[in-house]
Amino acid sequence: MSDSSLTPDIFARLRETAGIALDEQSRFSDLTTLHLGGKPRLTVQCESTAAAVSAVTALDAANIALLIVGGGSNLVVADGQLDLVAVVMAQDALEIDLDTGLVCAGAGVVWDEVVAATVAAGLGGIECLSGIPGSTGATPVQNVGAYGAEISDVLTRVRLLDRSTGAVEWVAASELDLGYRHSNLKFTSRGVVLEVELQLNVDGLSAPLRFGELARGLGASEPSQRWPVADVREQVLKLRRGKGMVVDPADHDTWSAGSFFTNPVVDDALADSVREQVRAIRGESDAERMPRFPAGQGTSKLSAAWLIDRAGFDKGFPNESAPARLSTKHTLALTNRGTAQTADLVDLARTVRDGVREKFGVTLVPEPVWVGVSID
Ligand SMILES: Cc1cc2nc3c(=O)[nH]c(=O)nc-3n(C[C@H](O)[C@H](O)[C@H](O)COP(=O)(O)OP(=O)(O)OC[C@H]3O[C@@H](n4cnc5c(N)ncnc54)[C@H](O)[C@@H]3O)c2cc1C
């Protein structure tokens, strides 16, 4: 437990700050796409950049634990009472320069609104990231990516509140260590992204199509072809909906955190041994089809979804009455069917991770940020 209390002084200071709304009732189950998680000490909604800076610096100065929350689409939060304050980023300024393709968005802008607006304006570069839920400020945190594109392809800089110094400054994308579902902001309390700047292209065409399923769906005939941005967005949304990867409150297959495990990067020797295991269990042709991509320095990237499936976890696992189960559309999404607690989801995650490890010797690593709870 934190030994710092939310004194009346701090409450008063937060309440009196323009652009801040306090809420003592919200639970993380209201704030996350998994609809899971207990109650923070307080929820602080920040409608402006200045409000977010004031809230975070005041809470940090008082040594009160806090969690920055955007759309809650990459969070697994413990049940029960949480000893932290939820600071929700809700600043929604969006500027698009049609001549230069420069885009500046507040951290709280819904990411897909940025994609929709830029695509409508004929700007290219983020159309493959259509339909990813959550806020714009979170996109650099795990370097969001889909269909062969990543935010790092277009991110120029972020306006960052450095929580150790209280300084607010623009930080170049090159200083964020952006990699596969990684940055030096993820799993740390280094800073708060206040604004994001992107450089898009202005010729109305997409980034080169790098994902086979997408290129085939569009009818592209050559590898790395560029395509009208609106068509790419439409096709990406179609593919994502088919996999339950566009949030729909009425569809429990989308009550998830998206892909639950990252695709494992393993030594080539382990990748060879996984292929042998697959050959033994499933036969030659399945082994030959195993997705495996060179990842440099004697390593290969494997597909987490494929391994989960080949380890015997079918879509919908374990059964129709389980409160937490694999999506019926995609083995890589762990879902809440409406009545789950976080503990149910964690049990399922553990079962899947252990099953894949037992079968193939590969330990899958969860992609979301875990708060107050662990898979170990
Ligand atoms: C159906 C579904 C599909 C998904 N598909 C994809 C996909 O295709 N590709 C992909 O990469 N991800 C995907 N995700 C995961 C998720 O949408 C992204 O990681 C997204 O960027 C998270 O944004 P958020 O605002 O919801 O972050 P949150 O879940 O609110 O927060 C995630 C982490 O980021 C931190 N954070 C949030 N905002 C800030 C900020 N402004 N400054 C500093 N730290 C911050 C939080 O403290 C937390 O540690 C999917 C999720 C779902 C539910």
Side-chain angles (χ1 to χ4, degrees):
M1 290 284 287
S2 153
D3 56 5
S4 304
S5 56
L6 275 166
T7 60
D9 273 7
I10 295 171
F11 257 105
R13 185 165 163 199
L14 291 172
R15 189 170 288 121
E16 284 159 14
T17 303
I20 283 184
L22 302 185
D23 169 3
E24 293 181 67
Q25 304 307 323
S26 282
R27 305 178 65 82
F28 277 102
S29 51
D30 306 315
L31 299 173
T32 60
T33 51
L34 272 165
H35 300 268
L36 293 176
K39 196 175 163 311
R41 297 166 86 181
L42 177 68
T43 298
V44 181
Q45 177 101 358
C46 303
E47 304 287 347
S48 69
T49 296
V53 172
S54 293
V56 172
T57 48
L59 292 164
D60 277 346
N63 201 24
I64 293 167
L66 65 87
L67 178 71
I68 304 295
V69 180
S73 61
N74 213 27
L75 286 174
V76 177
V77 184
D79 299 313
Q81 184 69 41
L82 278 297
D83 187 23
L84 54 79
V85 171
V87 177
V88 179
M89 307 298 275
Q91 60 276 52
D92 61 0
L94 174 60
E95 286 170 36
I96 302 175
D97 186 323
L98 297 178
D99 295 326
T100 62
L102 208 61
V103 175
C104 193
V109 184
V110 171
W111 170 248
D112 197 49
E113 290 177 7
V114 177
V115 184
T118 55
V119 165
L123 301 183
I126 52 175
E127 56 289 330
C128 285
L129 306 180
S130 292
I132 297 180
S135 63
T136 301
T139 55
V141 173
Q142 75 154 2
N143 185 24
V144 293
Y147 294 97
E150 290 181 329
I151 192 72
S152 57
D153 300 339
V154 293
L155 184 72
T156 50
R157 54 184 189 156
V158 298
R159 194 159 165 239
L160 197 71
L161 165 63
D162 182 327
R163 289 181 59 192
S164 62
T165 63
V168 173
E169 57 189 4
W170 285 99
V171 173
S174 57
E175 290 178 38
L176 299 177
D177 290 342
L178 297 164
Y180 169 60
R181 298 303 169 271
H182 171 79
S183 79
N184 57 25
L185 300 171
K186 195 174 178 183
F187 305 128
T188 74
S189 48
R190 174 187 168 198
V192 181
V193 177
L194 303 167
E195 286 174 74
V196 164
E197 187 188 80
L198 312 174
Q199 178 65 66
L200 304 187
N201 63 60
V202 296
D203 63 5
L205 294 178
S206 70
L209 299 174
R210 299 190 194 104
F211 199 85
E213 186 186 19
L214 176 62
R216 283 191 298 278
L218 286 164
S221 52
E222 296 158 30
S224 298
Q225 212 167 333
R226 299 180 68 210
W227 208 262
V229 281
D231 295 354
V232 176
R233 174 170 166 79
E234 199 180 313
Q235 184 66 17
V236 166
L237 288 173
K238 184 176 160 199
L239 290 171
R240 291 185 69 97
R241 285 198 187 97
K243 297 173 187 171
M245 286 292 170
V246 176
V247 169
D248 171 359
D251 180 358
H252 283 122
D253 276 335
T254 74
W255 288 32
S256 77
S259 301
F260 200 85
F261 297 100
T262 51
N263 290 324
V265 176
V266 301
D267 285 345
D268 284 340
L270 180 52
D272 291 343
S273 124
V274 172
R275 181 167 282 162
E276 285 315 307
Q277 288 293 325
V278 174
R279 186 171 282 117
I281 307 167
R282 318 251 330 175
E284 181 66 31
S285 65
D286 213 33
E288 288 312 311
R289 281 202 302 268
M290 182 178 95
R292 175 178 175 173
F293 310 94
Q297 296 174 336
T299 64
S300 299
K301 190 193 267 189
L302 307 181
S303 159
W306 199 88
L307 292 176
I308 291 169
D309 181 79
R310 296 318 193 265
F313 299 104
D314 294 331
K315 292 175 185 148
F317 174 87
N319 57 58
E320 278 190 10
S321 56
R325 49 183 150 121
L326 299 186
S327 160
T328 66
K329 300 185 181 79
H330 197 343
T331 41
L332 197 47
L334 274 63
T335 63
N336 168 10
R337 310 316 291 189
T339 58
Q341 299 288 301
T342 301
D344 300 313
L345 190 94
V346 174
D347 281 349
L348 176 62
R350 208 173 275 132
T351 302
V352 170
R353 182 201 59 180
D354 293 352
V356 170
R357 184 158 58 195
E358 208 171 290
K359 194 80 81 196
F360 300 120
V362 175
T363 302
L364 296 180
V365 176
E367 182 182 300
V369 172
W370 294 59
V371 181
V373 65
S374 154
I375 193 172
D376 295 316

